[in-house]
Amino acid sequence: NTLNDYEETIVSIGGAIARYSTRQKFPVWGFGAKFNDQVRHIFQCGSNAEASGVSGVLEAYRTVFRMDLIMSGPTVYLDVIKAAAARAAKSQQNQNNGL
């Protein structure tokens, strides 16, 4: 199975990030797509809030293209950055509370 450029990047960067994760659970978000004539600047990829391991991230990415979506612009990263920042803040808070 040949990987496209995006899949190769997921495997490469995902593999590097995965080395630092004990849980091996990763959110997978897409951005810049149109669903039912509505542009979404952030959306969950895959059926679960978190993917298991790099192979799960890759599968979540692939499921997006089996859906009825149209890649769309403009690409707005702000919602993705806000979601990532909120997730990081919650994780830090949980660590501080011993969770």
Side-chain angles (χ1 to χ4, degrees):
N1 224 6
T2 303
L3 301 177
N4 68 35
D5 291 342
Y6 294 101
E7 292 170 334
E8 285 181 11
T9 302
I10 289 169
V11 170
S12 178
I13 293 174
I17 292 170
R19 289 186 211 130
Y20 299 96
S21 174
T22 55
R23 291 183 54 240
Q24 296 294 300
K25 299 285 186 182
F26 307 101
V28 184
W29 300 316
F31 48 89
K34 190 181 283 190
F35 292 91
N36 300 326
D37 292 326
Q38 181 181 3
V39 174
R40 306 261 176 113
H41 297 297
I42 184 172
F43 56 91
Q44 176 180 308
C45 296
S47 58
N48 299 312
E50 295 180 316
S52 296
V54 176
S55 62
V57 172
L58 196 56
E59 182 55 29
Y61 165 79
R62 289 174 174 160
T63 63
V64 169
F65 298 100
R66 294 183 206 126
M67 300 168 59
D68 186 24
L69 72 92
I70 300 167
M71 299 308 285
S72 178
T75 301
V76 178
Y77 297 106
L78 183 59
D79 292 342
V80 176
I81 292 167
K82 285 181 178 179
R87 185 175 173 87
K90 182 179 179 183
S91 176
Q92 184 66 42
Q93 183 180 25
N94 288 345
Q95 286 179 358
N96 291 341
N97 293 332
L99 300 178

Coordinates of all heavy atoms in Angstrom, one line a residue:
N1 N 0.8 -1.2 0.0 CA 0.0 0.0 0.0 C 0.9 1.2 0.0 O 1.6 1.5 0.9 CB -0.9 0.0 1.2 CG -2.3 0.4 0.9 OD1 -2.7 0.5 -0.3 ND2 -3.1 0.4 1.9
T2 N 0.8 2.1 -1.0 CA 1.5 3.3 -1.1 C 0.9 4.4 -0.4 O -0.4 4.6 -0.5 CB 1.7 3.7 -2.6 OG1 2.3 2.6 -3.3 CG2 2.6 4.9 -2.7
L3 N 1.6 5.1 0.4 CA 1.1 6.3 1.1 C 1.2 7.5 0.3 O 2.2 7.7 -0.4 CB 1.9 6.5 2.4 CG 1.9 5.3 3.4 CD1 2.8 5.7 4.6 CD2 0.5 5.0 3.9
N4 N 0.2 8.4 0.4 CA 0.3 9.7 -0.3 C 1.1 10.6 0.6 O 1.5 10.3 1.7 CB -1.1 10.3 -0.6 CG -1.9 10.7 0.6 OD1 -1.4 11.2 1.6 ND2 -3.2 10.5 0.5
D5 N 1.4 11.8 0.1 CA 2.3 12.8 0.8 C 1.7 13.1 2.2 O 2.5 13.2 3.2 CB 2.5 14.1 0.0 CG 3.3 13.9 -1.2 OD1 4.0 12.8 -1.3 OD2 3.2 14.7 -2.1
Y6 N 0.4 13.3 2.3 CA -0.2 13.6 3.6 C 0.0 12.4 4.6 O 0.3 12.6 5.8 CB -1.7 13.9 3.5 CG -1.9 15.2 2.7 CD1 -2.2 15.2 1.4 CD2 -1.7 16.5 3.3 CE1 -2.4 16.4 0.7 CE2 -1.8 17.7 2.6 CZ -2.2 17.6 1.3 OH -2.4 18.8 0.6
E7 N -0.3 11.2 4.1 CA -0.1 10.0 4.9 C 1.3 9.8 5.4 O 1.6 9.4 6.5 CB -0.7 8.8 4.2 CG -2.2 8.8 3.9 CD -2.7 7.8 3.0 OE1 -1.9 7.3 2.1 OE2 -3.8 7.4 3.1
E8 N 2.3 10.0 4.5 CA 3.7 9.9 4.9 C 4.0 10.9 6.0 O 4.7 10.6 6.9 CB 4.6 10.2 3.7 CG 4.6 9.0 2.7 CD 5.6 9.3 1.5 OE1 6.3 10.3 1.5 OE2 5.5 8.5 0.6
T9 N 3.4 12.1 5.9 CA 3.7 13.1 6.9 C 3.0 12.7 8.2 O 3.7 12.9 9.3 CB 3.1 14.5 6.4 OG1 3.7 14.8 5.2 CG2 3.4 15.6 7.5
I10 N 1.8 12.2 8.2 CA 1.2 11.7 9.4 C 2.1 10.6 10.1 O 2.3 10.6 11.3 CB -0.2 11.1 9.1 CG1 -1.2 12.3 8.7 CG2 -0.8 10.3 10.3 CD1 -2.5 11.8 8.2
V11 N 2.6 9.7 9.3 CA 3.4 8.6 9.9 C 4.7 9.2 10.4 O 5.1 8.8 11.5 CB 3.7 7.5 8.8 CG1 4.7 6.5 9.3 CG2 2.4 6.8 8.4
S12 N 5.3 10.1 9.7 CA 6.6 10.6 10.2 C 6.4 11.5 11.4 O 7.1 11.2 12.4 CB 7.2 11.5 9.0 OG 8.4 12.0 9.4
I13 N 5.6 12.5 11.4 CA 5.4 13.4 12.5 C 4.7 12.6 13.6 O 5.0 12.8 14.8 CB 4.6 14.6 12.1 CG1 5.5 15.5 11.1 CG2 4.3 15.5 13.3 CD1 4.9 16.7 10.5
G14 N 3.7 11.9 13.3 CA 3.0 11.1 14.3 C 3.9 10.1 15.1 O 3.8 10.0 16.3
G15 N 4.8 9.5 14.3 CA 5.8 8.6 15.0 C 6.7 9.4 16.0 O 7.0 8.9 17.1
A16 N 7.1 10.6 15.6 CA 7.9 11.4 16.5 C 7.1 11.8 17.7 O 7.6 11.7 18.9 CB 8.5 12.6 15.8
I17 N 5.9 12.2 17.6 CA 5.1 12.6 18.7 C 4.7 11.4 19.6 O 4.7 11.5 20.8 CB 3.8 13.3 18.2 CG1 4.2 14.7 17.5 CG2 2.8 13.5 19.3 CD1 3.0 15.3 16.8
A18 N 4.5 10.3 19.0 CA 4.0 9.1 19.7 C 5.1 8.7 20.7 O 4.8 8.1 21.8 CB 3.7 8.0 18.8
R19 N 6.4 8.9 20.4 CA 7.4 8.5 21.3 C 7.3 9.2 22.7 O 7.8 8.7 23.7 CB 8.8 8.9 20.7 CG 9.2 8.0 19.6 CD 10.6 8.3 19.1 NE 10.6 8.0 17.7 CZ 11.1 8.8 16.8 NH1 11.6 10.0 17.1 NH2 11.0 8.5 15.5
Y20 N 6.6 10.3 22.8 CA 6.5 11.1 24.0 C 5.1 10.9 24.7 O 4.8 11.5 25.7 CB 6.7 12.6 23.7 CG 8.1 12.9 23.2 CD1 8.3 13.0 21.8 CD2 9.1 13.0 24.0 CE1 9.6 13.2 21.3 CE2 10.4 13.2 23.5 CZ 10.6 13.3 22.2 OH 11.9 13.5 21.7
S21 N 4.3 10.0 24.2 CA 3.0 9.7 24.7 C 2.9 8.3 25.3 O 3.1 7.3 24.6 CB 1.9 9.9 23.6 OG 0.7 9.5 24.1
T22 N 2.6 8.3 26.6 CA 2.4 7.0 27.2 C 1.0 6.4 26.9 O 0.9 5.2 26.8 CB 2.5 7.1 28.8 OG1 1.6 8.0 29.3 CG2 4.0 7.4 29.1
R23 N 0.0 7.3 26.7 CA -1.4 6.8 26.4 C -1.6 6.4 24.9 O -2.4 5.6 24.6 CB -2.4 7.9 26.7 CG -2.5 8.2 28.2 CD -3.6 9.2 28.5 NE -4.9 8.9 27.9 CZ -5.5 9.7 27.0 NH1 -5.0 10.8 26.6 NH2 -6.7 9.3 26.5
Q24 N -0.8 7.0 24.0 CA -1.0 6.7 22.6 C -2.4 7.0 22.1 O -2.9 6.3 21.3 CB -0.6 5.2 22.3 CG 0.9 4.9 22.5 CD 1.8 5.7 21.6 OE1 1.7 5.5 20.4 NE2 2.7 6.5 22.2
K25 N -3.0 8.0 22.6 CA -4.3 8.5 22.2 C -4.2 9.9 21.7 O -3.6 10.8 22.4 CB -5.3 8.5 23.4 CG -5.5 7.1 24.0 CD -6.4 6.3 23.1 CE -6.7 5.0 23.8 NZ -7.5 4.2 23.0
F26 N -4.7 10.2 20.5 CA -4.5 11.4 19.8 C -5.8 11.9 19.2 O -6.5 11.2 18.5 CB -3.4 11.3 18.7 CG -2.1 10.7 19.2 CD1 -1.9 9.4 18.9 CD2 -1.2 11.5 19.9 CE1 -0.7 8.8 19.4 CE2 -0.1 10.9 20.4 CZ 0.2 9.6 20.1
P27 N -6.1 13.2 19.4 CA -7.3 13.8 18.7 C -6.9 14.0 17.2 O -5.7 14.3 17.0 CB -7.5 15.1 19.4 CG -6.2 15.5 19.9 CD -5.5 14.2 20.3
V28 N -7.8 13.8 16.4 CA -7.5 14.0 14.9 C -8.6 15.0 14.4 O -9.8 14.6 14.3 CB -7.5 12.7 14.1 CG1 -7.1 12.9 12.7 CG2 -6.6 11.7 14.8
W29 N -8.1 16.2 14.0 CA -9.1 17.2 13.6 C -8.7 17.6 12.1 O -7.6 17.7 11.7 CB -9.0 18.5 14.4 CG -9.3 18.3 15.8 CD1 -10.3 17.6 16.4 CD2 -8.6 18.8 17.0 NE1 -10.3 17.6 17.7 CE2 -9.2 18.4 18.1 CE3 -7.4 19.6 17.1 CZ2 -8.8 18.8 19.4 CZ3 -7.0 20.0 18.3 CH2 -7.7 19.5 19.5
G30 N -9.8 17.8 11.4 CA -9.6 18.3 10.0 C -10.1 19.7 10.0 O -10.7 20.2 10.9
F31 N -9.8 20.4 8.9 CA -10.2 21.8 8.8 C -10.3 22.1 7.3 O -9.7 21.5 6.5 CB -9.2 22.7 9.5 CG -7.8 22.5 9.2 CD1 -7.2 23.1 8.1 CD2 -7.0 21.6 9.9 CE1 -5.8 22.8 7.8 CE2 -5.7 21.3 9.6 CZ -5.1 21.9 8.6
G32 N -11.2 23.1 7.1 CA -11.4 23.6 5.7 C -12.1 22.6 4.8 O -11.7 22.3 3.7
A33 N -13.3 22.2 5.3 CA -14.2 21.3 4.5 C -15.6 21.8 4.5 O -16.0 22.4 5.5 CB -14.0 19.9 4.9
K34 N -16.3 21.4 3.5 CA -17.8 21.7 3.4 C -18.6 20.5 3.6 O -18.4 19.5 2.8 CB -18.1 22.4 2.1 CG -19.4 23.0 2.0 CD -19.7 23.7 0.7 CE -19.0 25.0 0.6 NZ -19.4 25.7 -0.6
F35 N -19.5 20.5 4.6 CA -20.4 19.4 4.8 C -21.8 19.9 4.7 O -22.1 20.9 5.3 CB -20.3 18.8 6.3 CG -19.0 18.1 6.6 CD1 -17.9 18.8 7.1 CD2 -18.9 16.7 6.4 CE1 -16.8 18.1 7.4 CE2 -17.7 16.1 6.7 CZ -16.7 16.8 7.2
N36 N -22.6 19.3 3.8 CA -24.0 19.8 3.6 C -24.1 21.3 3.4 O -24.8 22.0 4.0 CB -24.9 19.4 4.8 CG -24.9 17.9 5.1 OD1 -24.9 17.1 4.1 ND2 -24.9 17.5 6.3
D37 N -23.2 21.8 2.5 CA -23.2 23.2 2.1 C -22.7 24.1 3.3 O -23.0 25.3 3.2 CB -24.5 23.7 1.5 CG -24.8 23.0 0.2 OD1 -23.8 22.8 -0.5 OD2 -26.0 22.8 -0.1
Q38 N -22.2 23.6 4.4 CA -21.7 24.5 5.5 C -20.2 24.2 5.6 O -19.7 23.1 5.8 CB -22.4 24.1 6.8 CG -22.0 24.9 7.9 CD -22.7 24.5 9.2 OE1 -23.5 23.6 9.3 NE2 -22.4 25.3 10.3
V39 N -19.4 25.4 5.6 CA -18.0 25.3 5.8 C -17.7 25.0 7.2 O -18.2 25.7 8.1 CB -17.3 26.6 5.3 CG1 -15.8 26.5 5.6 CG2 -17.5 26.7 3.8
R40 N -16.8 24.0 7.5 CA -16.4 23.7 8.8 C -14.9 24.0 8.9 O -14.1 23.5 8.2 CB -16.6 22.3 9.2 CG -18.0 21.8 8.9 CD -18.8 21.8 10.2 NE -20.2 21.4 10.0 CZ -20.8 20.3 10.4 NH1 -20.1 19.4 11.0 NH2 -22.0 20.1 10.1
H41 N -14.5 24.9 9.9 CA -13.1 25.2 10.1 C -12.4 24.2 11.0 O -11.2 24.2 11.1 CB -13.0 26.6 10.6 CG -13.5 27.7 9.6 ND1 -12.9 27.8 8.3 CD2 -14.5 28.5 9.7 CE1 -13.6 28.7 7.7 NE2 -14.6 29.2 8.5
I42 N -13.2 23.4 11.7 CA -12.7 22.3 12.5 C -13.7 21.2 12.5 O -14.9 21.5 12.7 CB -12.2 22.7 13.9 CG1 -11.6 21.6 14.6 CG2 -13.4 23.3 14.6 CD1 -10.9 22.0 16.0
F43 N -13.3 20.0 12.4 CA -14.2 18.8 12.5 C -13.4 17.6 12.9 O -12.2 17.5 12.7 CB -15.0 18.6 11.2 CG -14.1 18.3 10.0 CD1 -13.7 17.0 9.7 CD2 -13.7 19.4 9.2 CE1 -12.9 16.8 8.6 CE2 -12.9 19.2 8.1 CZ -12.5 17.9 7.8
Q44 N -14.0 16.7 13.7 CA -13.4 15.5 14.1 C -13.2 14.5 12.9 O -14.1 14.3 12.2 CB -14.2 14.9 15.2 CG -13.7 13.5 15.7 CD -14.6 12.9 16.8 OE1 -14.9 13.6 17.7 NE2 -15.0 11.7 16.6
C45 N -12.1 13.9 12.8 CA -11.8 12.9 11.8 C -12.0 11.6 12.5 O -11.4 11.3 13.6 CB -10.4 13.0 11.3 SG -10.1 14.5 10.4
G46 N -12.7 10.7 11.9 CA -12.9 9.4 12.5 C -14.1 9.4 13.4 O -14.7 10.4 13.7
S47 N -14.5 8.2 13.9 CA -15.7 8.1 14.7 C -15.4 8.3 16.2 O -16.4 8.4 17.0 CB -16.3 6.7 14.5 OG -15.3 5.7 14.9
N48 N -14.2 8.4 16.7 CA -13.9 8.5 18.1 C -13.2 9.9 18.3 O -12.5 10.4 17.4 CB -12.9 7.4 18.6 CG -13.6 6.1 18.4 OD1 -14.8 5.9 18.8 ND2 -12.9 5.1 17.9
A49 N -13.3 10.4 19.5 CA -12.7 11.7 19.8 C -11.2 11.6 19.8 O -10.5 12.6 19.6 CB -13.1 12.2 21.2
E50 N -10.6 10.4 20.1 CA -9.2 10.1 20.0 C -8.9 8.9 19.2 O -9.6 7.9 19.3 CB -8.6 10.0 21.4 CG -8.7 11.2 22.3 CD -8.2 10.9 23.7 OE1 -8.5 9.9 24.3 OE2 -7.4 11.8 24.2
A51 N -7.8 8.9 18.5 CA -7.4 7.8 17.7 C -6.3 7.1 18.5 O -5.5 7.7 19.3 CB -6.8 8.2 16.4
S52 N -6.2 5.8 18.4 CA -5.2 5.0 19.1 C -4.0 4.8 18.2 O -4.0 4.1 17.2 CB -5.8 3.6 19.5 OG -6.8 3.7 20.4
G53 N -2.9 5.4 18.7 CA -1.6 5.2 18.0 C -1.6 5.9 16.6 O -2.6 6.4 16.1
V54 N -0.5 5.8 16.0 CA -0.3 6.5 14.7 C -1.2 5.8 13.6 O -1.8 6.4 12.8 CB 1.2 6.4 14.2 CG1 1.4 7.0 12.8 CG2 2.0 7.2 15.2
S55 N -1.3 4.5 13.7 CA -2.2 3.7 12.8 C -3.6 4.2 12.9 O -4.3 4.3 11.9 CB -2.1 2.2 13.0 OG -2.5 1.8 14.2
G56 N -4.1 4.5 14.1 CA -5.4 5.0 14.3 C -5.6 6.4 13.7 O -6.6 6.8 13.2
V57 N -4.5 7.3 13.9 CA -4.6 8.6 13.3 C -4.7 8.5 11.8 O -5.5 9.2 11.1 CB -3.3 9.4 13.7 CG1 -3.3 10.7 12.9 CG2 -3.3 9.6 15.2
L58 N -3.9 7.6 11.2 CA -3.9 7.4 9.7 C -5.3 6.9 9.3 O -5.9 7.4 8.3 CB -2.9 6.4 9.4 CG -2.5 6.3 7.9 CD1 -2.0 7.6 7.4 CD2 -1.3 5.2 7.8
E59 N -5.9 6.0 10.0 CA -7.3 5.5 9.7 C -8.3 6.6 9.8 O -9.2 6.7 9.0 CB -7.6 4.3 10.5 CG -9.0 3.7 10.2 CD -9.2 3.3 8.7 OE1 -8.2 3.0 8.0 OE2 -10.3 3.4 8.2
A60 N -8.2 7.4 10.9 CA -9.1 8.5 11.1 C -9.0 9.5 9.9 O -10.0 10.0 9.4 CB -8.8 9.3 12.4
Y61 N -7.8 9.8 9.5 CA -7.6 10.7 8.3 C -8.3 10.1 7.1 O -9.0 10.8 6.3 CB -6.1 10.9 8.1 CG -5.7 11.4 6.7 CD1 -5.8 12.8 6.4 CD2 -5.3 10.6 5.7 CE1 -5.5 13.3 5.2 CE2 -5.0 11.1 4.4 CZ -5.1 12.5 4.2 OH -4.8 13.0 3.0
R62 N -8.1 8.8 6.9 CA -8.7 8.2 5.7 C -10.2 8.1 5.7 O -10.8 8.2 4.6 CB -8.1 6.8 5.5 CG -6.6 6.7 5.1 CD -6.1 5.3 5.2 NE -4.7 5.3 4.6 CZ -3.9 4.3 4.9 NH1 -4.2 3.3 5.6 NH2 -2.6 4.4 4.4
T63 N -10.8 8.1 6.9 CA -12.3 8.0 6.9 C -12.9 9.3 6.4 O -14.0 9.3 5.9 CB -12.8 7.7 8.3 OG1 -12.4 8.8 9.2 CG2 -12.3 6.4 8.9
V64 N -12.2 10.4 6.6 CA -12.7 11.7 6.1 C -13.0 11.7 4.6 O -14.0 12.2 4.2 CB -11.7 12.8 6.4 CG1 -12.1 14.1 5.7 CG2 -11.6 13.0 7.9
F65 N -12.2 11.0 3.9 CA -12.4 11.0 2.4 C -13.5 9.9 2.0 O -13.8 9.9 0.8 CB -11.1 10.8 1.7 CG -10.2 11.9 2.0 CD1 -9.2 11.8 3.0 CD2 -10.3 13.2 1.4 CE1 -8.4 12.9 3.3 CE2 -9.6 14.2 1.7 CZ -8.6 14.1 2.7
R66 N -14.0 9.2 2.9 CA -15.1 8.3 2.6 C -16.4 9.0 2.9 O -17.5 8.4 2.7 CB -15.0 7.0 3.4 CG -13.8 6.2 3.1 CD -13.8 4.9 3.9 NE -12.4 4.4 4.0 CZ -11.8 4.2 5.2 NH1 -12.4 4.3 6.3 NH2 -10.5 3.8 5.2
M67 N -16.4 10.2 3.4 CA -17.6 11.0 3.8 C -18.0 11.9 2.6 O -17.2 12.1 1.7 CB -17.3 11.8 5.1 CG -16.9 10.9 6.2 SD -16.3 11.9 7.6 CE -17.6 13.0 8.0
D68 N -19.1 12.5 2.8 CA -19.6 13.4 1.8 C -19.2 14.8 2.1 O -19.9 15.6 2.7 CB -21.2 13.3 1.7 CG -21.8 14.2 0.6 OD1 -21.0 14.4 -0.4 OD2 -22.9 14.6 0.7
L69 N -17.9 15.1 1.8 CA -17.4 16.4 2.0 C -16.7 16.9 0.8 O -16.3 16.2 -0.1 CB -16.4 16.4 3.2 CG -15.0 15.7 3.0 CD1 -14.0 16.8 2.6 CD2 -14.6 15.1 4.3
I70 N -16.5 18.2 0.8 CA -15.8 18.9 -0.2 C -14.7 19.8 0.4 O -15.1 20.6 1.4 CB -16.7 19.8 -1.1 CG1 -17.8 19.0 -1.7 CG2 -16.0 20.6 -2.1 CD1 -19.0 19.8 -2.3
M71 N -13.5 19.6 0.1 CA -12.4 20.5 0.6 C -12.8 21.9 0.2 O -13.2 22.2 -0.9 CB -11.1 20.1 0.1 CG -10.7 18.6 0.4 SD -10.8 18.2 2.2 CE -9.4 19.1 2.8
S72 N -12.6 22.8 1.2 CA -13.1 24.2 1.0 C -12.1 25.2 1.6 O -11.5 24.9 2.6 CB -14.5 24.3 1.6 OG -15.0 25.6 1.5
G73 N -12.1 26.4 1.1 CA -11.4 27.5 1.7 C -12.4 28.5 2.1 O -13.6 28.5 1.8
P74 N -11.9 29.6 2.7 CA -10.5 29.7 3.1 C -10.2 28.9 4.3 O -11.0 28.5 5.0 CB -10.4 31.2 3.5 CG -11.8 31.5 4.0 CD -12.8 30.7 3.2
T75 N -8.9 28.5 4.4 CA -8.4 27.7 5.5 C -8.2 28.7 6.7 O -7.5 29.6 6.6 CB -7.1 27.0 5.2 OG1 -7.3 26.2 4.0 CG2 -6.6 26.2 6.3
V76 N -9.0 28.4 7.8 CA -8.9 29.2 9.0 C -8.4 28.3 10.1 O -9.1 27.4 10.5 CB -10.3 29.8 9.3 CG1 -10.2 30.6 10.6 CG2 -10.8 30.7 8.2
Y77 N -7.2 28.6 10.6 CA -6.6 27.7 11.6 C -7.0 28.1 13.0 O -6.8 27.3 14.0 CB -5.1 27.8 11.5 CG -4.5 27.2 10.2 CD1 -4.0 28.1 9.3 CD2 -4.5 25.9 10.0 CE1 -3.5 27.6 8.1 CE2 -4.0 25.4 8.8 CZ -3.5 26.3 7.8 OH -3.0 25.8 6.6
L78 N -7.6 29.2 13.2 CA -7.9 29.7 14.6 C -8.7 28.7 15.4 O -8.3 28.5 16.6 CB -8.7 31.0 14.5 CG -8.9 31.7 15.9 CD1 -7.6 32.0 16.6 CD2 -9.7 33.0 15.7
D79 N -9.7 28.1 14.9 CA -10.5 27.1 15.7 C -9.7 25.9 16.1 O -9.8 25.4 17.2 CB -11.7 26.7 14.9 CG -12.8 27.8 14.7 OD1 -12.7 28.8 15.4 OD2 -13.6 27.7 13.8
V80 N -8.8 25.5 15.2 CA -8.0 24.3 15.5 C -7.0 24.7 16.6 O -6.8 23.9 17.6 CB -7.2 23.8 14.3 CG1 -6.2 22.7 14.6 CG2 -8.2 23.3 13.2
I81 N -6.4 25.9 16.5 CA -5.4 26.4 17.5 C -6.1 26.5 18.9 O -5.6 26.1 19.9 CB -4.8 27.7 17.1 CG1 -3.9 27.4 15.9 CG2 -4.0 28.3 18.2 CD1 -3.4 28.7 15.2
K82 N -7.3 27.1 18.9 CA -8.1 27.2 20.1 C -8.4 25.9 20.8 O -8.3 25.7 22.0 CB -9.4 28.0 19.9 CG -9.2 29.5 19.7 CD -10.5 30.2 19.5 CE -10.4 31.7 19.3 NZ -11.7 32.3 19.1
A83 N -8.8 24.9 20.0 CA -9.2 23.6 20.5 C -7.9 22.9 21.0 O -8.0 22.3 22.1 CB -9.8 22.7 19.4
A84 N -6.8 23.0 20.4 CA -5.5 22.4 20.8 C -5.1 23.1 22.1 O -4.7 22.4 23.1 CB -4.5 22.5 19.8
A85 N -5.2 24.4 22.2 CA -4.8 25.1 23.4 C -5.7 24.7 24.6 O -5.2 24.5 25.7 CB -4.9 26.6 23.2
A86 N -7.0 24.6 24.4 CA -7.9 24.2 25.5 C -7.6 22.8 25.9 O -7.6 22.5 27.1 CB -9.4 24.3 25.0
R87 N -7.3 21.9 25.0 CA -7.0 20.6 25.3 C -5.7 20.5 26.2 O -5.6 19.8 27.1 CB -6.8 19.7 24.1 CG -6.6 18.3 24.3 CD -6.6 17.5 23.0 NE -6.3 16.1 23.2 CZ -7.1 15.2 23.6 NH1 -8.4 15.4 23.7 NH2 -6.7 13.9 23.8
A88 N -4.7 21.3 25.8 CA -3.4 21.3 26.5 C -3.6 21.9 27.9 O -3.1 21.4 28.9 CB -2.4 22.2 25.7
A89 N -4.4 22.9 28.0 CA -4.7 23.5 29.3 C -5.4 22.5 30.2 O -5.1 22.4 31.4 CB -5.5 24.8 29.2
K90 N -6.4 21.8 29.7 CA -7.1 20.8 30.5 C -6.1 19.7 30.9 O -6.2 19.2 32.1 CB -8.2 20.2 29.7 CG -9.1 19.2 30.5 CD -10.2 18.7 29.6 CE -11.0 17.6 30.4 NZ -12.1 17.1 29.6
S91 N -5.3 19.3 30.0 CA -4.3 18.2 30.4 C -3.4 18.7 31.5 O -3.1 17.9 32.4 CB -3.5 17.8 29.1 OG -2.5 16.9 29.5
Q92 N -2.9 19.9 31.4 CA -2.0 20.5 32.4 C -2.7 20.6 33.7 O -2.2 20.2 34.8 CB -1.5 21.9 32.0 CG -0.5 22.5 33.0 CD 0.8 21.7 33.0 OE1 1.3 21.3 32.0 NE2 1.3 21.5 34.2
Q93 N -4.0 21.0 33.7 CA -4.8 21.1 34.9 C -5.0 19.7 35.6 O -4.8 19.5 36.8 CB -6.1 21.7 34.7 CG -7.0 21.9 35.9 CD -8.4 22.5 35.5 OE1 -8.8 22.4 34.4 NE2 -8.9 23.2 36.5
N94 N -5.3 18.7 34.8 CA -5.4 17.3 35.3 C -4.1 16.8 35.9 O -4.1 16.2 36.9 CB -5.9 16.4 34.2 CG -7.3 16.6 33.8 OD1 -8.1 17.3 34.5 ND2 -7.7 16.1 32.6
Q95 N -3.0 17.1 35.3 CA -1.7 16.7 35.9 C -1.4 17.4 37.2 O -1.0 16.8 38.1 CB -0.6 17.0 34.9 CG -0.5 16.1 33.7 CD 0.6 16.4 32.8 OE1 1.4 17.4 32.9 NE2 0.8 15.6 31.7
N96 N -1.8 18.7 37.3 CA -1.6 19.4 38.5 C -2.5 18.9 39.6 O -2.2 19.0 40.8 CB -1.9 20.9 38.3 CG -0.8 21.6 37.4 OD1 0.3 21.1 37.3 ND2 -1.1 22.7 36.9
N97 N -3.7 18.4 39.2 CA -4.6 17.8 40.2 C -4.4 16.4 40.5 O -5.2 15.7 41.2 CB -6.1 18.1 39.8 CG -6.4 19.5 39.7 OD1 -5.9 20.3 40.5 ND2 -7.4 19.9 38.9
G98 N -3.4 15.8 39.9 CA -3.0 14.4 40.1 C -3.9 13.4 39.4 O -4.0 12.2 39.8
L99 N -4.6 13.8 38.4 CA -5.5 12.9 37.6 C -4.8 12.2 36.5 O -3.9 12.6 35.9 CB -6.7 13.7 37.0 CG -7.6 14.5 38.1 CD1 -8.7 15.2 37.4 CD2 -8.2 13.5 39.0

